[in-house]
Amino acid sequence: MLRALAVDDERPSLEELLYLLNADPRIGSVEGAGDATEALRRINRALESGPGGPEAIDVVFLDIQMPGLDGLDLARLLTGFARPPLIVFVTAHEDFAVQAFDLKAVDYVLKPVRKERLAEAVRRVAELRGAAPHIPVHEPDPDHLPVELGGVTRFVSVDDITHVEAQGDYARLHTGQGSHLVRIPLSTLEERWRSRGFVRIHRRHLVALRHIRELRLDAGTVSVLVGSEELQVSRRHARELRDLLMRRT
């Protein structure tokens, strides 16, 4: 059973988060804190108590934008401890996801928090803590990828994805209608979608061959036009890309 601490300076958001966490059977106990300073004091007691002690905390569900010490500041402080609790960021802002990854966050949940999305974050924490959840796991849909937008989960068709950009342990999916950040490494998507016509053109980019409009050669450099965006092709991937495009034509 996981021992959790929820941190949010907005009382209604904190109460909702506490309610949802209490309803999860994998959460043994959960406390609330109204700001990062209060949370830090509570975490210090937990660390002094030790991982098996009565004050121990396994995971902190942490808002980011708070007055004074914010969530990212608190997470940075925790990286200096030998055995800090795991961190799940819970925020209304997508913009901090890459920073959250850099701070080794387990997950990044967007507000308004949905029960199913929070349950997925708890599942990840439980796996890392060795408390395997007794909840059936469904196979992912190979044709669609779930993304969050404004607290709503939408399913993006793989066929609509023009290219993917690596952002640390995250990937940004680009479509003709916009982009979406997902917590999947680019290498994983490369392996998963190779048979669907996606090819690595750079350490940062994976491109769908069917969405390449032009292959450009200029003074020894190679690039591709995908939609209205021009992407550089690294030298080590240029020959393979040219061969693949020739075979397709």
Side-chain angles (χ1 to χ4, degrees):
M1 301 292 282
L2 297 169
R3 297 154 295 186
L5 175 66
V7 188
D8 199 312
D9 65 305
E10 296 181 357
R11 193 67 196 178
S13 295
L14 179 59
E15 290 177 352
E16 179 185 17
L17 185 55
L18 289 170
Y19 172 79
L20 292 172
L21 289 171
N22 271 312
D24 193 303
R26 294 161 295 195
I27 301 292
S29 63
V30 58
E31 302 174 51
D35 57 54
T37 302
E38 179 186 351
L40 184 58
R41 287 196 292 266
R42 177 62 186 87
I43 293 168
N44 274 324
R45 295 205 307 273
L47 296 173
E48 290 171 0
S49 175
E55 300 279 348
I57 295 173
D58 297 305
V59 56
V60 180
F61 292 85
L62 183 59
D63 189 20
I64 288 182
Q65 291 195 324
M66 294 182 286
L69 191 70
D70 68 20
L72 293 173
D73 293 332
L74 177 57
R76 290 188 189 99
L77 288 173
L78 293 181
T79 61
F81 292 96
R83 295 178 61 87
L86 299 175
I87 297 290
V88 173
F89 285 105
V90 183
T91 177
H93 304 279
E94 180 184 302
D95 303 343
F96 302 104
V98 174
Q99 292 169 263
F101 161 73
D102 289 339
L103 293 168
K104 310 302 182 186
V106 174
D107 208 343
Y108 192 90
V109 179
L110 290 176
K111 296 178 182 179
V113 179
R114 294 178 301 103
K115 179 181 179 181
E116 296 82 3
R117 182 64 185 87
L118 187 64
E120 170 62 16
V122 173
R123 182 191 67 78
R124 292 177 179 177
V125 172
E127 286 185 350
L128 290 171
R129 285 300 189 214
H134 301 288
I135 294 177
V137 177
H138 301 283
E139 291 296 319
D141 180 352
D143 297 320
H144 296 83
L145 202 65
V147 301
E148 285 198 32
L149 185 63
V152 177
T153 298
R154 298 182 179 178
F155 293 88
V156 175
S157 171
V158 175
D159 290 339
D160 291 337
I161 298 170
T162 59
H163 61 288
V164 187
E165 180 183 2
Q167 294 189 348
D169 209 25
Y170 290 79
R172 184 167 291 279
L173 312 176
H174 292 267
T175 70
Q177 291 72 47
S179 68
H180 308 278
L181 194 67
V182 295
R183 193 179 183 191
I184 306 176
L186 191 66
S187 57
T188 299
L189 294 178
E190 179 184 13
E191 181 178 350
R192 185 183 299 177
W193 291 345
R194 184 178 293 115
S195 62
R196 302 184 68 116
F198 282 81
V199 59
R200 181 75 76 102
I201 65 166
H202 190 275
R203 63 183 178 82
R204 291 191 56 204
H205 289 112
L206 186 68
V207 171
L209 290 173
R210 62 185 169 276
H211 287 292
I212 295 178
R213 295 174 53 195
E214 294 179 7
L215 177 67
R216 297 178 175 180
L217 305 175
D218 182 20
T221 63
V222 182
S223 62
V224 291
L225 188 65
V226 181
S228 60
E229 192 167 352
E230 185 173 359
L231 303 174
Q232 185 178 354
V233 181
S234 67
R235 185 171 301 176
R236 66 187 293 249
H237 293 105
R239 174 171 292 184
E240 179 188 5
L241 177 63
R242 286 198 300 266
D243 290 345
L244 287 170
L245 289 173
M246 290 297 292
R247 286 202 293 269
R248 287 179 67 87
T249 57

